[in-house]
Each structure stands twice: as structure tokens, then as C-alpha cells.
Amino acid sequence: MKNKIAIIGAGRMGSAMVRELAKENSNFCNKIKISDHNDWKLNNLSEYRIESSTDNIKTIEDARIIILAVRPQQMLELITEVSSFIRPEQIIVSIAIGVPLKWLSERLSQNKSIFHIHPPSTIMA
């Protein structure tokens, strides 16, 4: 497993994370992968020269850290899609406000490293 960071969701939060992680002189550009079901959202991030895909499974396959940056109402569908492909050694970080950590932990019970963070409001702006 490489030290890749997979971000699922290229909306406001996922895109903001890419912009912060892939700033000029950052060592993260070649370590970030992002997926979203909307090609146009991914195209908006093309200037950062990061790997992007509409395939969530492909995005997480060699990631060490998986950031779930989708809306709360999309989380069940996402977890249903990817849960059997997430390995126990991967670190899961959810930034979906309103999705309880307990709910996520029950669905990803093979993982012991699951975190839920509330990003600063400056990122959301």
C-alpha cells in the first residue's frame, strides 16, 4: 500500500481539501486521488494535476487514508458500494456532518481507525 490519500467526493468540501493539500510546493500532489460521479467536478480540479476518477473503488484501492467527503444523505450508498473493498489497515476519515461515528463504525467494523472530523468553517467558505 502506498501513502496515498483518497478523497471521495469533489464537492465543496472535497475540492477545498484538494486545494489545500495540493498547494504549490506541497509534497502531496502526487499522493492525492479523488473520485466523484460528476466529471465536471473533477475537471474543475484538473489544474492541481492529481489523479481523478469516477470510480470510487479504483480511487481507494492503494490509499492509506480514505477521506469520505460526501453529503450525509449519500453516505449509505457510498458505504454500501465501497465497504467490501476497504481493508482493515486503511484509515477512514469522514467529514460528513450528521453521520454519527457509531453508524460508520458499525458498517466498517473491520476497520479500527475510523475518525469523524468537522472541518474548519474556513475550508467550507
Side-chain angles (χ1 to χ4, degrees), residues 40-95:
W40 62 271
K41 286 182 182 180
L42 297 172
N43 289 336
N44 288 337
L45 297 171
S46 62
E47 68 184 274
Y48 297 100
R49 299 176 312 277
I50 60 170
E51 191 176 337
S52 65
S53 175
T54 56
D55 184 342
N56 293 329
I57 307 305
K58 179 182 174 190
T59 300
I60 68 170
E61 66 189 356
D62 65 346
R64 176 75 176 121
I65 300 170
I66 301 170
I67 300 173
L68 307 176
V70 299
R71 294 175 186 247
Q73 61 269 26
Q74 297 170 314
M75 191 63 78
L76 178 59
E77 182 179 345
L78 173 63
I79 294 303
T80 302
E81 175 190 359
V82 301
S83 63
S84 62
F85 297 93
I86 295 177
R87 295 181 311 282
E89 66 273 12
Q90 290 175 303
I91 299 167
I92 311 300
V93 178
S94 169
I95 62 171

Side-chain angles (χ1 to χ4, degrees), residues 3-50:
N3 287 323
K4 295 264 186 185
I5 300 169
I7 301 172
I8 300 179
R12 285 184 13 191
M13 296 305 295
S15 296
M17 293 187 88
V18 167
R19 285 191 295 277
E20 288 301 311
L21 290 171
K23 283 186 174 181
E24 195 172 326
N25 299 323
S26 165
N27 291 325
F28 287 108
C29 289
N30 62 346
K31 296 180 181 180
I32 301 171
K33 296 170 75 173
I34 190 163
S35 65
D36 197 283
H37 62 274
N38 288 322
D39 278 327
W40 62 271
K41 286 182 182 180
L42 297 172
N43 289 336
N44 288 337
L45 297 171
S46 62
E47 68 184 274
Y48 297 100
R49 299 176 312 277
I50 60 170

